[in-house]
C-alpha cells in the first residue's frame, strides 16, 4: 500500500502486514491518500470517514475481500454527487448506494450507525452481514441482489424497513427477523431461502414479501400477526400453513398463498372475517383446508384450481353468505359439497369444471340462493343429486340451474361413525324418494343395513362404485346401523336416525 500525504496536518497511521492494512484518514480523503496493491485483501479503517470514501472503495478497490469498519465513524457528506446522483448523506448512516456493487465478501459495519440507506449494499458480494443493534432504519433495497449473501439477522431495534430489502438474494438461506414488520418484497425471489425464524413481535407481512421463495417449505407464524399482504407467499414452497395461533389476524391479502405447488394443508384462525380474492388460487396439491369460522364470503377465484380436494362437505363454514365468481372453479375431483344455511348467492361459474360432482347437500337452506351465470358449467347435473329441505323439492325443480339436478330431500337427523376407514373417506347417507342413497369418496364393495336388534334388513354386494341405493320402502324402523366395506377391505359402521 502506498500513501500520498498531500494535505498539511493530515495524520496518517499505517500498520502493514502481508495481506492487510489498517488506515486512519480524514473524512473524504481516502482516494487522495491510499493505493491498495493486489496482494492486500483486508482493509481496516479507523477514525472518521464519509460517503465519498465508501464510494471510492466500492468503485476502485476491487481486490479487497474484507472491509472492517468496526472502528470507524461515518460522518456527514454534503458535496459532490455520488452514486444515484445523491450529494447529501447524513452522519451515522451507511450511505445510500455508496457501497452498491462492492466486491468485498466480508463486511463489518460500524457499531455506531443508526441507519442503512437505500440500496446501500445493492448487488454487493457479501456472504453474510451482522446489522448492529444501533440501527433503527434500513432503506429500500438496501441489500437487494446480493447474490452471495447466505445468512442475515435483523434485530428488534430496527423500527423502519424499506421495501425490497433482500429482493433477489438468490443464495440467502438463513434469516432471523426480529423487527416488528416485514416490508413489501422483502425476500422476493430468494429461491434458496429455507430457514426463516420470525420474532413474536412481527405483526405484518407485506405484499410479495416471500413471493418466489421456492425452497421455503415451513414457517412458524407469530401470534401477534395481524396482516398478510397480497401475493405474500405466491409461488413459495410452503407445504403447510397453520395460522390458528395468529388469532389477531384480520387481513389475508389477495393471492396471498396462490400458485404454491406443494401446499397441502391450510388452517385459518376462527376470527378472520375476510380473505382476498385468489387467496389459494391454483394450489393444485391442497387437500386439507380449514376456513375461518367468521368468514362471511368466499371471494372470487379463492379456491380456483384446487384439483386435489375430493370432498368439500363441511368445507364452507356456517356464516358464508356469498360464493364469488369462479371461487371454486376447476375442482374437478370434488365429488360432494354441502352448502351452509347462511348462503344467499353463488357467483358466475363458481363451480365450473366439477366433473366428478355426485352430491350437493342444500338441506340446511330454507331459501334458494340466487345464482350468477353458468354456475355449474361443465357439471353433469343430471347425474348428480341435489338434496334439499323437506317441502322445497318443487321450488328447486322450477328454478333454472337448480332444476337440472336429480332432486331429493335430506332425511338424516344424525350420522355417527363408530368405526374408521383408512384415509378417512367421507360417507354421505341421504334419502331420495324411498331409497337410502349412500355415497363414499372411495369405492365400496358392499353395504349392509341392520336394525338395532342386529337383524339384517338389506344388503348390496359387489358394488364396486362410490354410490349405491338401498330400498327403504318397507323398512319401518327409525334407527339403523349401516355397515360399509370398501374395496380395499377397510370398513366403517354408521348409525342413522331418520327424521321423517
Amino acid at each position: 500500500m502506498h500513501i500520498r500525504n498531500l494535505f498539511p496536518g493530515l495524520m496518517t497511521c499505517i500498520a502493514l502486514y502481508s495481506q492487510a492494512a489498517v488506515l486512519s484518514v480524514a473524512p473524504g480523503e481516502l482516494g487522495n491518500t491510499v493505493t491498495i496493491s493486489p496482494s492486500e485483501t483486508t482493509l481496516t479503517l479507523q477514525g472518521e470517514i464519509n460517503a465519498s470514501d465508501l464510494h471510492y472503495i466500492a468503485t476502485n478497490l476491487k481486490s479487497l475481500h474484507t472491509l472492517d469498519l468496526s472502528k470507524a465513524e461515518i460522518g456527514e457528506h454534503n458535496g459532490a454527487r455520488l452514486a444515484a446522483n445523491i450529494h447529501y448523506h447524513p452522519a451515522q448512516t451507511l450511505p445510500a448506494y455508496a457501497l452498491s456493487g462492492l466486491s468485498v465478501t466480508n463486511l463489518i459495519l460500524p457499531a455506531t450507525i443508526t441507519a442503512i440507506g437505500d440500496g446501500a449494499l445493492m448487488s454487493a458480494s457479501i456472504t453474510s452481514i451482522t446489522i448492529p443493534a444501533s440501527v433503527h432504519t434500513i432503506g429500500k433495497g438496501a441489500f437487494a441482489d446480493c447474490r452471495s449473501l447466505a445468512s442475515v439477522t435483523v434485530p428488534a431495534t430496527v423500527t423502519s424497513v424499506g421495501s425490497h430489502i433482500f429482493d433477489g438474494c438468490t443464495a440467502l438461506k438463513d434469516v432471523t427477523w426480529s423487527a416488528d414488520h416485514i416490508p413489501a418484497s422483502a425476500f422476493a425471489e430468494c429461491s434458496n431461502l429455507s430457514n426463516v425464524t420470525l420474532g413474536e413481535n412481527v405483526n405484518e407481512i407485506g405484499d410479495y414479501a416471500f413471493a418466489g421463495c421456492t425452497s421455503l417449505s415451513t414457517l412458524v407464524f407469530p401470534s401477534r400477526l395481524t396482516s398478510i399482504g397480497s401475493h405474500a407467499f405466491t409461488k413459495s414452497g410452503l407445504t403447510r400453513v397453520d395460522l390458528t395461533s395468529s388469532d389477531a389476524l384480520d387481513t389475508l391479502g389477495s393471492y396471498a398463498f396462490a400458485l404454491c405447488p406443494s401446499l397441502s394443508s391450510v388452517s385459518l384462525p376462527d376470527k378472520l372475517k375476510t380473505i382476498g380474492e385468489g387467496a389459494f388460487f391454483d394450489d393444485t396439491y391442497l387437500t386439507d383446508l380449514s376456513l375461518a369460522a367468521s368468514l362471511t364470503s368466499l371471494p372470487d377465484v379463492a379456491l380456483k384450481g384446487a384439483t386435489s380436494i375430493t370432498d368439500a362437505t363441511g368445507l364452507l363454514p356456517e356464516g358464508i353468505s356469498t360464493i364469488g365468481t369462479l371461487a371454486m372453479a376447476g375442482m374437478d375431483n370434488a365429488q360432494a359439497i354441502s352448502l351452509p344455511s347462511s348462503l344467499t348467492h353463488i357467483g358466475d361459474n363458481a363451480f365450473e369444471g366439477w366433473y366428478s360432482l355426485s352430491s350437493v347437500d342444500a338441506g340446511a337452506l330454507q331459501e334458494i340462493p340466487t345464482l350468477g351465470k353458468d354456475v355449474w358449467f361443465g357439471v353433469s347435473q343430471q347425474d348428480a343429486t341435489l338434496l334439499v329441505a323437506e317441502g322445497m323439492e318443487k321450488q328447486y325443480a322450477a328454478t333454472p340451474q337448480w332444476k337440472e339436478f336429480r332432486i331429493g330431500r335430506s332425511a338424516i337427523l344424525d350420522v355417527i361413525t363408530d368405526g374408521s376407514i383408512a384415509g378417512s373417506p367421507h360417507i354421505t347417507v341421504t334419502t331420495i324418494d324411498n331409497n337410502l342413497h349412500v355415497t363414499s369418496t372411495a369405492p365400496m364393495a358392499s353395504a349392509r343395513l341392520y336394525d338395532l336388534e342386529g337383524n339384517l334388513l338389506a344388503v348390496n354386494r359387489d358394488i364396486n362404485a362410490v354410490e349405491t341405493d338401498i330400498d327403504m320402502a318397507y323398512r319401518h324402523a327409525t334407527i339403523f346401523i349401516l355397515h360399509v366395506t370398501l374395496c380395499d377391505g377397510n370398513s366403517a359402521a354408521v348409525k342413522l336416525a331418520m327424521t321423517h
Side-chain angles (χ1 to χ4, degrees):
M1 178 179 68
H2 303 288
I3 303 298
R4 301 188 300 276
N5 193 349
L6 303 178
F7 298 89
L10 177 64
M11 295 183 61
T12 303
C13 175
I14 309 165
L16 293 176
Y17 38 96
S18 60
Q19 292 183 332
V22 179
L23 179 64
S24 295
V25 295
E29 302 302 336
L30 182 63
N32 297 320
T33 59
V34 61
T35 300
I36 299 291
S37 71
S39 64
E40 293 170 325
T41 58
T42 299
L43 176 62
T44 299
L45 295 181
Q46 298 179 152
E48 185 175 333
I49 58 176
N50 66 15
S52 64
D53 298 316
L54 297 174
H55 180 67
Y56 176 82
I57 292 172
T59 305
N60 297 282
L61 305 185
K62 300 296 185 181
S63 63
L64 289 179
H65 293 169
T66 297
L67 177 61
D68 186 351
L69 304 176
S70 61
K71 297 181 173 112
E73 294 277 340
I74 298 179
E76 180 184 65
H77 173 270
N78 190 2
R81 294 183 181 273
L82 303 173
N85 203 29
I86 301 172
H87 71 87
Y88 177 74
H89 299 273
Q92 304 306 335
T93 297
L94 191 66
Y97 304 100
L99 291 177
S100 59
L102 182 71
S103 58
V104 164
T105 57
N106 181 31
L107 173 66
I108 305 172
L109 296 175
T112 55
I113 60 171
T114 59
I116 297 174
D118 294 350
L121 283 158
M122 181 180 291
S123 301
S125 298
I126 55 173
T127 57
S128 65
I129 192 71
T130 297
I131 298 172
S134 56
V135 172
H136 57 71
T137 300
I138 302 177
K140 62 184 179 182
F143 303 94
D145 289 317
C146 290
R147 297 183 181 273
S148 298
L149 182 63
S151 64
V152 70
T153 296
V154 177
T157 52
V158 175
T159 57
S160 176
V161 191
S163 63
H164 300 271
I165 178 174
F166 296 104
D167 189 344
C169 294
T170 53
L172 187 59
K173 183 178 179 180
D174 300 304
V175 169
T176 300
W177 186 284
S178 298
D180 63 4
H181 68 284
I182 300 174
S185 301
F187 299 99
E189 306 304 325
C190 291
S191 55
N192 276 301
L193 184 60
S194 58
N195 183 22
V196 176
T197 301
L198 301 181
E200 273 302 305
N201 60 327
V202 174
N203 56 51
E204 177 184 344
I205 297 176
D207 298 347
Y208 293 90
F210 293 94
C213 293
T214 54
S215 298
L216 184 63
S217 60
T218 61
L219 184 65
V220 177
F221 292 89
S223 60
R224 296 182 184 178
L225 189 64
T226 61
S227 174
I228 296 177
S230 63
H231 299 268
F233 294 92
T234 292
K235 296 184 180 180
S236 72
L238 288 175
T239 60
R240 181 173 181 266
V241 172
D242 185 356
L243 289 162
T244 54
S245 295
S246 303
D247 55 8
L249 186 68
D250 57 26
T251 302
L252 181 62
S254 59
Y255 299 92
F257 295 97
L259 297 160
C260 294
S262 301
L263 184 59
S264 63
S265 175
V266 174
S267 297
L268 300 180
D270 284 341
K271 295 180 182 179
L272 180 64
K273 293 184 178 181
T274 59
I275 62 177
E277 69 174 45
F280 305 101
F281 172 79
D282 215 18
D283 289 340
T284 58
Y285 200 60
L286 184 62
T287 57
D288 181 17
L289 175 62
S290 176
L291 293 173
S294 297
L295 284 181
T296 57
S297 65
L298 191 67
D300 297 350
V301 297
L303 292 171
K304 186 179 186 297
T307 57
S308 292
I309 293 179
T310 59
D311 179 17
T313 56
L315 175 61
L316 299 175
E318 190 64 38
I320 292 263
S321 61
T322 303
I323 298 174
T325 297
L326 292 164
M328 305 179 79
M331 294 170 59
D332 53 16
N333 287 304
Q335 301 174 24
I337 187 168
S338 54
L339 304 179
S341 63
S342 52
L343 188 64
T344 60
H345 179 74
I346 302 176
D348 297 351
N349 302 83
F351 294 98
E352 177 182 316
W354 280 47
Y355 304 125
S356 303
L357 183 63
S358 62
S359 175
V360 177
D361 187 350
L365 292 164
Q366 298 303 307
E367 295 184 6
I368 301 176
T370 59
L371 300 180
K373 298 177 182 178
D374 299 318
V375 168
W376 312 99
F377 185 83
V379 176
S380 298
Q381 290 177 260
Q382 68 277 9
D383 298 322
T385 301
L386 172 64
L387 304 169
V388 303
E390 183 180 12
M392 296 190 68
E393 297 93 334
K394 291 183 179 179
Q395 296 179 54
Y396 278 95
T399 304
Q401 294 193 79
W402 291 107
K403 66 182 181 182
E404 289 80 5
F405 284 103
R406 184 176 60 182
I407 298 174
R409 59 183 173 86
S410 179
I412 304 303
L413 174 66
D414 198 11
V415 178
I416 305 172
T417 302
D418 298 316
S420 62
I421 297 179
S424 301
H426 186 87
I427 295 176
T428 301
V429 185
T430 53
T431 55
I432 298 177
D433 298 328
N434 291 317
N435 291 321
L436 196 67
H437 185 69
V438 183
T439 302
S440 173
T441 53
M444 295 176 284
S446 65
R448 291 176 170 83
L449 190 69
Y450 300 88
D451 62 20
L452 284 181
E453 284 72 40
N455 299 310
L456 181 64
L457 305 179
V459 59
N460 287 7
R461 298 185 177 89
D462 302 320
I463 301 171
N464 195 30
V466 295
E467 294 184 80
T468 190
D469 290 322
I470 298 175
D471 185 5
M472 297 292 292
Y474 302 102
R475 316 299 175 198
H476 299 296
T478 57
I479 299 178
F480 304 90
I481 302 296
L482 175 67
H483 187 274
V484 175
T485 301
L486 300 183
C487 291
D488 62 8
N490 291 293
S491 62
V494 179
K495 182 179 179 181
L496 310 173
M498 307 299 292
T499 61
H500 34 264

